[in-house]
């Protein structure tokens, strides 16, 4: 028996849903050891604000600092493993007729957990492109200590293929995400502070189009008021338990 009690309405809606859409944020990867953006940074990077490092201005003025920060985050991502929350979402994809996973995360952990339909709204930290022309670069010469690497094609500074603050989202990803929430029967909003638009607008669009909205987050957010059900739990606990409660016979052993 599950240690959690879920509202029967939630379990019923999940089992009957034709299209389940999930929006994830940094909170789902917190249990994999990747710090969220809006919790206090610790250690080496404690005195820097991520919002200032992940910006076109920082890249223009302090490219070496931006690179050091992303090198540190890439290293964390490389060493991280998907947690039970990621694995439960990959399993959920197989339970329902249609499933779309929209993530603001750039860590690729959903794909590593086995999720197939993943819309990356904010890019992927492991890809490298150049700042001027978006050339996709897989190899580059290491620059002298303390300098940022440069594009072997056009010479402009390289950057991770992520959306910086103030930059537009990849149009195709945003379009796919917006279309998905309009046909969702159930939308799970997992581990996001709901502070960054346009991602934070997606649950409201889903709700307007009739979706049953579920927030999974240990803390309240601006999105809490539109949720039909709120699970104040860590994603790594809530999601496997929810799956087991909705489909007791089918949940894979490894969850
Ligand atoms: N399970 C679920 N939620 C959690 C957990 C957990 N184990 N741990 C923390 N959270 C919640 C926090 O309560 C918070 O609401 O995750 C949320 C993380 O919020 P942010 O750090 O603001 O991350 P996110 O919402 O993904 O940020 C959006 O902002 O910095 C940019 O581009 C970056 O994609 C990012 C975007």
């Amino acid at each position: 028996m599950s240690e959690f009690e879920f509202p029967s309405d939630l379990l019923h809606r999940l089992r009957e849903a034709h299209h389940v859409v999930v929006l994830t944020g940094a909170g789902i990867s917190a249990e994999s050891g990747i710090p969220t953006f809006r919790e206090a940074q610790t250690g080496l990077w404690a005195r820097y604000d991520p919002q200032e490092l992940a910006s076109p201005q920082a890249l223009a003025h302090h490219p070496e600092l931006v690179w050091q920060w992303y090198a540190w985050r890439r290293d964390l991502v490389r060493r991280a493993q998907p947690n039970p929350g990621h694995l439960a979402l990959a399993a959920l994809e197989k339970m329902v007729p249609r499933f779309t996973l929209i993530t603001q995360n750039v860590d690729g952990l959903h794909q590593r957990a086995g999720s197939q339909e993943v819309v990356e709204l904010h890019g992927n930290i492991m890809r490298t492109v150049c700042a001027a022309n978006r050339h996709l670069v897989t190899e580059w010469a290491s620059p002298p200590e303390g300098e940022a690497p440069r594009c072997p094609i056009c010479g402009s500074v390289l950057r991770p293929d992520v959306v910086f603050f103030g930059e537009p989202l990849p149009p195709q990803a945003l379009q796919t995400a917006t279309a998905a929430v309009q046909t969702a029967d159930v939308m799970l909003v997992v581990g996001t502070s709901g502070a960054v638009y346009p991602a934070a607008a997606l649950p409201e669009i889903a709700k307007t189009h009739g979706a049953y909205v579920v927030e999974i987050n240990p803390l309240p957010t601006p999105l809490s008021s539109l949720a039909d059900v709120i699970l104040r739990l860590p994603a790594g606990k809530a999601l496997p338990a929810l799956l087991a409660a909705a489909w007791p016979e089918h949940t894979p052993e490894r969850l």
Side-chain angles (χ1 to χ4, degrees):
M1 207 174 104
S2 168
E3 60 183 300
F4 307 110
E5 286 288 331
F6 296 105
S8 56
D9 194 30
L10 165 61
L11 302 180
H12 176 75
R13 289 200 183 236
L14 262 182
R15 280 192 295 258
E16 298 300 312
H18 293 286
H19 188 186
V20 173
V21 174
V22 183
L23 173 67
T24 63
I28 196 166
S29 294
E31 290 159 84
S32 294
I34 301 174
T36 65
F37 285 87
R38 282 167 191 81
E39 71 190 356
Q41 300 280 297
T42 50
L44 206 54
W45 293 97
R47 65 202 173 94
Y48 293 100
D49 177 353
Q51 305 211 31
E52 282 168 20
L53 292 167
S55 75
Q57 292 80 6
L59 187 72
H61 298 301
H62 310 288
E64 67 303 324
L65 182 68
V66 173
W67 263 98
Q68 283 168 24
W69 189 63
Y70 276 105
W72 173 72
R73 288 192 71 90
R74 276 182 172 178
D75 193 47
L76 277 180
V77 167
R78 248 182 232 115
R79 288 187 281 121
Q81 295 299 326
N83 67 54
H86 297 107
L87 295 171
L89 290 180
L92 176 58
E93 183 166 9
K94 300 197 177 84
M95 305 288 187
V96 294
R98 200 173 152 211
F99 184 85
T100 311
L101 175 47
I102 305 165
T103 188
Q104 298 165 87
N105 299 345
V106 296
D107 56 32
L109 287 177
H110 286 305
Q111 292 91 330
R112 280 169 56 194
S115 287
Q116 306 281 323
E117 287 295 318
V118 184
V119 180
E120 290 184 323
L121 283 183
H122 294 168
N124 190 299
I125 195 172
M126 289 305 180
R127 282 195 304 266
T128 301
V129 295
C130 74
N133 298 304
R134 295 259 157 194
H135 292 129
L136 187 62
V137 175
T138 50
E139 285 183 33
W140 62 88
S142 269
E145 185 86 19
E147 282 183 29
R150 295 201 161 258
C151 178
I153 303 165
C154 68
S156 78
V157 95
L158 294 180
R159 58 174 284 179
D161 191 12
V162 298
V163 176
F164 286 156
F165 285 97
E167 291 185 325
L169 271 54
Q172 184 61 55
L174 183 58
Q175 203 182 324
T176 307
T178 309
V181 294
Q182 291 178 21
T183 61
D185 308 295
V186 175
M187 179 167 189
L188 308 182
V189 182
V190 185
T192 179
S193 61
V196 173
Y197 282 79
L202 294 170
E204 185 151 18
I205 301 174
K207 179 95 185 169
T208 312
H209 284 77
Y212 184 83
V213 177
V214 184
E215 179 176 69
I216 300 177
N217 195 317
L219 297 176
T221 76
L223 301 174
S224 303
S225 58
L226 63 84
D228 293 284
V229 175
I230 298 173
L231 306 177
R232 289 267 168 261
L233 293 165
K237 291 253 183 297
L239 286 166
L242 182 58
L243 205 69
W247 290 278
E249 322 78 21
H250 293 106
T251 303
E253 296 272 308
R254 66 184 177 143
L255 291 173

